Every structure is written in structure tokens, then in C-alpha cells.
Amino acid sequence: MSAKEIARGAEAIVYETRIAGIKVILKLRNPKAYRVAELDMQLRSSRTKKEAKIMSRALAHGIRAPMLVGVGRASICMEKVDGKLMKDVRISARTAASAGALLGALHNAGISHGDFTPANIIIEGSGRLCIIDFGLSEITSGPEEKALDILLMKRQLAKRLYGGFTRAYARTASGSAETLRRLEGIEERGRYQSRALE
Ligand SMILES: Nc1ncnc2c1ncn2[C@@H]1O[C@H](COP(=O)(O)OP(=O)(O)O)[C@@H](O)[C@H]1O
Ligand SMILES: [Mg+2]
């Protein structure tokens, strides 16, 4: 079996390979030499388990994410989703609104994504969005984590797209008013802190 490396992040290496002729993605958490070996294996294994668990929770809620094929101690095998990363295209108003609805659905499923950026969203041929990379996700219903998901995307989106993104989010997510208020609070804190540093 040959595997082609397609991405290498701080935590994981991502390969594309085939199982029985079907394209799959293998995400492997690599060992860290600076950690004690036993602890390193424990950490990689618990983070892998958590990522797979949250991914299947999203799938169970009808959210478009890669199908899980299998989970190893430090590896996740999943469907390869065809399409373009949102970060690599000129983002349309429709895509921005779809991203807002996607985030609302994740939050309704009790998931904060933790890295909700255009680098972790694949636009499939049909225009449908698929969310990937649950490596920093948490099961939560807290407004702070949810607000931080919105803030991360806000920082990546052009101003003209942000309104459509939040409107779609607000239509989809239950309790969105509280989350958006929390977001304002976080931004206010940020402005206050940067003034204090001047
Ligand atoms: N299921 C998938 N289908 C297609 N491409 C994927 C899939 N999972 C990951 N990738 C590709 O690999 C890259 C890194 O994967 P990701 O899960 O985001 O890892 P990291 O934690 O390193 O950011 C993604 O940006 C995407 O290009
Ligand atoms: Mg990623």
C-alpha cells in the first residue's frame, strides 16, 4: 500500500491512500521526541480518540464531515472528501452563509470546533461544505467556546461576507443571541487590552 503525504501540521501528518481501491485519508499523530515515550503515546491516543468521537458525533447529527473508516491508537482513517479548501478560493456570499449555518449546526450538536477557519472547510463540487479537522474540538454548550469559533472565522472573512455569515449562524444556532453577546464582550476585552498596552 503506498501512501502520499498531503499535509504536515504541528500534531499530525495527513496521508492519502487507497483501501480496496477507494481513496481514504489517514491522519497520523506523530511521536514527539521531547515527551517521555509512555506519556507521548497516552497523549496521542487520547487526542485521537477524542477527535474521532467528536467527528462521529457530528456525523450522527447529520453534519457533513468525512465518514469515519477506522480509528487506531494514534491514527484516524476517513473518507477522502473531494473539493477545494475554502481558504483556496474566492469566498462567495453563499459559501460564507453556508459556513454560518454549518457552525450553527455544530453548536446545536454540542460541539465547539476549536479551529473553525477556511483551512478546515472543504467546498464539495455541489457547493456543499464539509467540515474537517476536529483535532481541537470540544463537547461543550458554553457560550465562550462558541463565541471563539465565530471570532476565528470573523478574522478570516472579508467584511462584506461577515454579515451573511453571522445572520445564517443566528438563524441556525439555538441560543445564538447569548453567544453573539459573548462575542461582543470578548472583542471589547480585546480592545480594552490593546488600549492598555499602547
Ligand atoms: N477527509 C479529508 N478529505 C480531504 N482532505 C483532507 C481530509 N482531511 C484532511 N485533509 C487535508 O489535509 C489537511 C490537513 O488536515 P487537518 O485535519 O486539517 O490536519 P491539521 O490538524 O494538521 O490541520 C487539510 O487542510 C486538507 O487539505
Ligand atoms: Mg487543519
Side-chain angles (χ1 to χ4, degrees):
M1 184 177 80
S2 74
K4 182 176 77 177
E5 182 179 320
I6 59 169
R8 184 180 284 256
E11 286 254 333
I13 308 180
V14 175
Y15 300 92
E16 183 184 321
T17 182
R18 278 175 190 267
I19 295 180
I22 296 170
K23 279 187 199 165
V24 292
I25 292 286
L26 199 64
K27 185 168 175 177
L28 218 126
R29 279 199 161 68
N30 37 326
K32 296 272 194 266
Y34 57 80
R35 284 189 206 132
V36 179
E38 199 176 324
L39 178 71
D40 182 57
M41 191 62 235
Q42 270 174 26
L43 263 178
R44 287 189 288 140
S45 144
S46 63
R47 288 182 185 164
T48 301
K49 248 193 220 143
K50 186 170 169 192
E51 181 171 357
K53 187 179 124 200
I54 299 184
M55 222 169 121
S56 38
R57 185 185 176 106
L59 286 165
H61 279 82
I63 292 164
R64 177 64 179 126
M67 306 285 185
L68 261 181
V69 176
V71 188
R73 272 215 295 181
S75 63
I76 299 178
C77 183
M78 66 187 104
E79 167 197 2
K80 180 192 192 274
V81 177
D82 280 320
K84 287 192 168 156
L85 286 175
M86 185 173 159
K87 80 169 173 61
D88 293 332
V89 302
R90 185 176 189 276
I91 300 169
S92 66
R94 177 170 155 236
T95 297
S98 301
L102 172 62
L103 185 60
L106 281 165
H107 288 176
N108 288 345
I111 298 168
S112 69
H113 185 270
D115 199 11
F116 195 72
T117 68
N120 288 324
I121 295 174
I122 297 175
I123 308 176
E124 293 183 88
S126 57
R128 178 167 67 160
L129 304 188
C130 176
I131 181 71
I132 62 167
D133 193 359
F134 291 83
L136 295 172
S137 301
E138 297 286 343
I139 303 291
T140 176
S141 49
E144 181 87 10
E145 290 89 345
K146 292 182 186 172
L148 288 172
D149 273 346
I150 301 175
L151 184 58
L152 205 56
M153 183 57 86
K154 182 176 183 179
R155 289 188 173 150
Q156 310 269 330
L157 280 181
K159 267 209 178 113
R160 70 181 168 88
L161 298 171
Y162 179 64
F165 168 78
T166 26
R167 275 193 299 280
Y169 174 81
R171 269 199 304 277
T172 313
S174 47
S176 61
E178 187 192 1
T179 310
L180 291 168
R181 265 200 308 280
R182 178 64 70 103
L183 174 62
E184 276 178 30
I186 294 172
E187 291 186 295
E188 194 45 49
R189 258 174 8 229
R191 276 192 288 276
Y192 175 76
Q193 276 159 6
S194 52
R195 270 203 302 274
L197 287 173
E198 275 169 11

